[in-house]
Amino acid sequence: MAVLATIPANETLFFRKYNFGKIKTSNNNRNNIIRMKIQPPNVATMSVAQPLSHDILISPSKPLDFVFPNFQFQDYMAAKVSRVNKALDDAVPLRNPIKIHQAMRYSLLAGGKRIRPALCLAACELVGGEEHMALPVACAIEMIHTMSLIHDDLPCMDNDNLRRGKPTNHKAFGEETAVLAGDALLSLAFQHVAVNTRNVLPRRVVQAIAELGSAVGSEGLVAGQIVDICSEGKQISLDELEYIHVHKTSVLLEAAVVCGAIMGGGDAIQIKRLRKYARCIGLLFQVVDDILDVTKSSEELGKTAGKDLESDKATYPKLMGLEKAKEFAAELADKAMEELNSFDVLRSAPLYHLANYIAYRQN
């Protein structure tokens, strides 16, 4: 495909590297964690207070309610989401010029699952850091994510009218204000990390800022977006589709995990493992997104369903078939969880459950 002629070969090899190009399914090995029929998981009641044996090798073949019988994931997420929402509210007060700050707050505080900030905080704590060390960068990632949604919904892009169950930003405030609100959130993200990060070595703050810049720039999110636009209505391969979504969707989830690990004091080996974990769940997020787009209604999703089909975009169900896409999602979840095997059992519980949550999400 001409539009991808200049993409480096090593950036389109993820399927082949992890043998995901040809899905091999075994009912005997498929675990209870990932049954990709898009149904709610059986989330156990859990608490990290009760210690587990640290010689347990967690494998995807064990259900999470067996491995982490006392970890309360729903309570964990509620606490993290509450703290992130409070920090975001404080970061963007309603001040002059009123209209631009209203528009920024409208999308930033519109709800959402806050998966990226939760991943960031969980990665920080996994490598021994404390939540406050990564909270500014977790908020920054959510600001960047919100910017990408505002711009993605514009008439010149996906031309969408509904986001998180509400009119999109440009429908509420006008196109010009929506563009500026996205721009303001992007610049504020970097300022917020630089000004508000505490008790972290300066070189680590700079490293995290560089990671964020790379994730959102012309070789990151923007790269995925432009290739996606140029691919509409064309026949593309799985490798090409992967390139789009590794850059357009996965890259911010990857940055969330990596920046959390950086702020928490993670070493190079830990960061490398967590980057692989994040790359897998980033693709997993997109595969599930594509599945939901053809299996759920707009009311269930909180955004317009069937948009990819309507605009003739390539998706995983379209190229692989729905059942193969579900199998691929299961393989990605398995691989992500394998990357966590070398970490502390108790501290890794949130990241295992977040991968499971991404696999089972309903919107």
Side-chain angles (χ1 to χ4, degrees), residues 81-92 108-109 135-136 139 143 192:
V81 169
S82 176
R83 284 194 281 276
V84 167
N85 285 342
K86 172 66 166 58
L88 289 171
D89 191 15
D90 292 343
V92 189
L108 186 64
L109 305 178
L135 189 56
C139 290
M143 292 174 191
H192 191 71

Side-chain angles (χ1 to χ4, degrees), residues 113-292:
K113 297 172 282 292
R114 307 303 193 205
I115 290 176
R116 291 158 190 82
L119 285 166
C120 183
L121 299 178
C124 175
E125 292 172 326
L126 173 61
V127 298
E130 297 179 15
E131 181 185 88
H132 76 273
M133 300 165 74
L135 189 56
V137 76
C139 290
I141 288 162
E142 195 66 8
M143 292 174 191
I144 293 171
H145 174 56
T146 302
M147 172 279 298
S148 74
L149 299 181
I150 293 172
H151 286 179
D152 208 36
D153 290 335
L154 288 167
C156 62
M157 301 289 278
D158 281 359
N159 192 23
D160 220 328
N161 299 327
L162 189 67
R163 174 70 67 180
R164 292 173 176 168
K166 298 169 60 176
T168 48
N169 198 288
H170 68 274
K171 285 294 180 182
F173 294 93
E175 290 180 37
E176 299 90 342
T177 301
V179 170
L180 293 173
D183 292 346
L185 284 169
L186 177 60
S187 59
L188 177 61
F190 293 94
Q191 177 186 347
H192 191 71
V193 176
V195 171
N196 293 287
T197 303
R198 298 286 184 272
N199 302 320
V200 177
L201 291 173
R203 65 177 176 81
R204 287 189 173 271
V205 178
V206 171
Q207 186 181 354
I209 289 173
E211 182 76 24
L212 281 182
S214 173
V216 77
S218 62
E219 295 183 342
L221 188 152
V222 171
Q225 189 70 270
I226 190 64
V227 175
D228 189 29
I229 290 170
C230 295
S231 300
E232 286 187 21
K234 299 179 181 178
Q235 295 294 320
I236 66 172
S237 68
L238 281 174
D239 278 351
E240 292 163 340
L241 181 63
E242 178 204 320
Y243 177 90
I244 290 170
H245 292 308
V246 162
H247 292 77
K248 184 180 174 183
T249 303
S250 178
V251 70
L252 273 187
L253 285 107
E254 184 176 328
V257 173
V258 170
C259 286
I262 291 169
M263 295 300 199
D267 61 35
I269 294 174
Q270 290 174 321
I271 291 171
K272 183 178 180 181
R273 290 185 187 278
L274 287 171
R275 189 182 293 279
K276 289 180 179 178
Y277 161 86
R279 181 68 60 92
C280 289
I281 64 166
L283 278 177
L284 172 63
F285 190 97
Q286 184 60 50
V287 176
V288 173
D289 215 45
D290 287 355
I291 292 168
L292 293 175

Side-chain angles (χ1 to χ4, degrees), residues 319-345:
L319 294 190
M320 304 175 79
L322 185 58
E323 292 307 313
K324 286 292 184 184
K326 292 177 181 180
E327 293 172 15
F328 180 40
E331 296 286 345
L332 287 167
D334 287 350
K335 180 61 185 175
M337 293 183 189
E338 286 173 17
E339 295 296 340
L340 298 176
N341 281 342
S342 64
F343 290 98
D344 178 85
V345 171

Side-chain angles (χ1 to χ4, degrees), residues 89 92-99 101-102 105:
D89 191 15
V92 189
L94 190 57
R95 56 192 173 193
N96 286 323
I98 295 295
K99 186 173 183 180
H101 289 98
Q102 282 179 329
R105 290 173 59 85

